[in-house]
Amino acid sequence: MPPGELIFRERAVVTGTPLGEADLPRAWDCLSEVMDPEVPVVSVVDLGMIRAVEWDSDHLHVKVSPTYSGCPATEVIERDVEQALIETGFRNPRIERVLAPAWTTDWITDKGRQQLRDYGIAPPAVGEGRDTLLDPGPAECPHCGGTDTRRISEFGSTACKALYQCRQCLEPFDYFKCL
Ligand SMILES: [Zn+2]
């Protein structure tokens, strides 16, 4: 946490000064530090889960799209988002779950894709012709960049991922399935 962040939070908590409409950029900064519990290096912002951050008369209104529907992490993420906003100084933030349009892996930012790769997870393919959740195809090895890979299991460390092995460096890796 940068030093200014702590001072800022202390002011909000100690003096009870609630944040307002002018503090929307603070809300985005705050959300960019809320990580996906299943991929703790990628924020909910870089996963493309935050659809909108708005000010609604006296409270912050945040629209969140769950990633994979039925993903058990969804409720954890919504609680984490609410908690982080309260700690930053927003009173009574309202978190709205937005199901339509449905989240797609295309919403993951370039930064998020690189963070997945750095973490050892192959990011999902982008655009048309990509593979589906149920039938992931070849994936690029996040360790050596090799494309000669094979799927070992339909499910990796979580249901959202498939387990692959690289034939070039022989390392196993998770592939973040497309949706
Ligand atoms: Zn490899």
Side-chain angles (χ1 to χ4, degrees):
M1 182 189 309
E5 184 83 353
L6 186 60
I7 292 165
F8 185 81
R9 285 186 184 176
E10 279 179 345
R11 180 177 68 84
V13 173
V14 173
T15 69
T17 306
L19 300 185
E21 188 166 12
D23 299 302
L24 285 181
R26 302 285 318 181
W28 280 105
D29 286 349
C30 164
L31 294 172
S32 70
E33 289 175 19
V34 178
M35 300 296 152
D36 181 326
E38 293 188 348
V39 191
V41 292
V42 186
S43 75
V44 293
V45 172
D46 284 309
L47 279 173
M49 294 178 68
I50 306 299
R51 306 291 357 122
V53 177
E54 297 159 353
W55 189 256
D56 185 1
S57 63
D58 65 343
H59 65 272
L60 194 68
H61 189 116
V62 178
K63 295 179 181 172
V64 179
S65 288
T67 51
Y68 300 94
S69 62
C71 191
T74 301
E75 283 180 23
V76 175
I77 290 169
E78 289 170 351
R79 264 202 309 275
D80 287 351
V81 163
E82 182 182 29
Q83 190 61 36
L85 290 169
I86 290 171
E87 284 176 7
T88 299
F90 289 100
R91 282 191 183 158
N92 307 316
R94 189 169 159 223
I95 315 300
E96 181 186 355
R97 190 182 296 187
V98 179
L99 299 176
W103 178 86
T104 125
T105 45
D106 285 351
W107 292 357
I108 301 176
T109 65
D110 287 343
K111 182 180 162 198
R113 282 170 203 283
Q114 189 56 49
Q115 287 168 326
L116 283 171
R117 230 174 265 126
D118 292 344
Y119 191 60
I121 298 174
V126 185
E128 287 182 29
R130 64 193 180 175
D131 314 299
T132 66
L133 184 61
L134 295 176
D135 182 26
E140 189 180 299
C141 172
H143 304 295
C144 72
T147 51
D148 186 8
T149 60
R150 70 189 180 95
R151 188 176 66 185
I152 298 172
S153 166
E154 192 175 322
F155 297 105
S157 58
T158 69
C160 317
K161 307 187 196 83
L163 184 63
Y164 275 69
Q165 187 179 25
C166 176
R167 288 195 176 96
Q168 285 164 255
C169 70
L170 302 180
E171 290 289 328
F173 63 92
D174 272 343
Y175 173 61
F176 206 97
K177 295 181 206 173
C178 294
L179 199 69

